[in-house]
Amino acid sequence: PAPGAFAFLVDADGQVLAHPDPALQLKPLKELDAALQLDKLTAGSGPLPRLTLSGKAMLLAAAPIPDSRWHLV
């Protein structure tokens, strides 16, 4: 991975389950960025969403975790 890259875990309702920043755990995705929506991350078509999280420009994508309601972002 690139320097500064990280992943976080989100449930199907858009709640952050695990994040490197403990203050963001159990928060809705919208608290990370108002434009951040799980359905846009998992759509699989078009360019990856560009957002600013914690003051850093990021490209985001999500992948479902089989047999669960979770996604790795």
Side-chain angles (χ1 to χ4, degrees):
F6 62 90
F8 54 96
L9 191 62
V10 179
D11 71 11
D13 297 322
Q15 183 174 21
V16 177
L17 300 175
H19 192 284
D21 180 350
L24 298 175
Q25 293 177 9
L26 303 178
K27 302 285 186 183
L29 277 175
K30 291 180 182 182
E31 286 196 22
L32 278 72
D33 186 288
L36 188 54
Q37 298 174 2
L38 187 59
D39 60 339
K40 290 184 179 180
L41 295 175
T42 60
S45 63
L48 294 175
R50 292 177 180 260
L51 298 172
T52 301
L53 298 177
S54 301
K56 296 180 184 177
M58 304 248 174
L59 289 174
L60 302 177
I65 297 176
D67 301 320
S68 77
R69 299 183 64 233
W70 298 353
H71 291 79
L72 187 64
V73 180

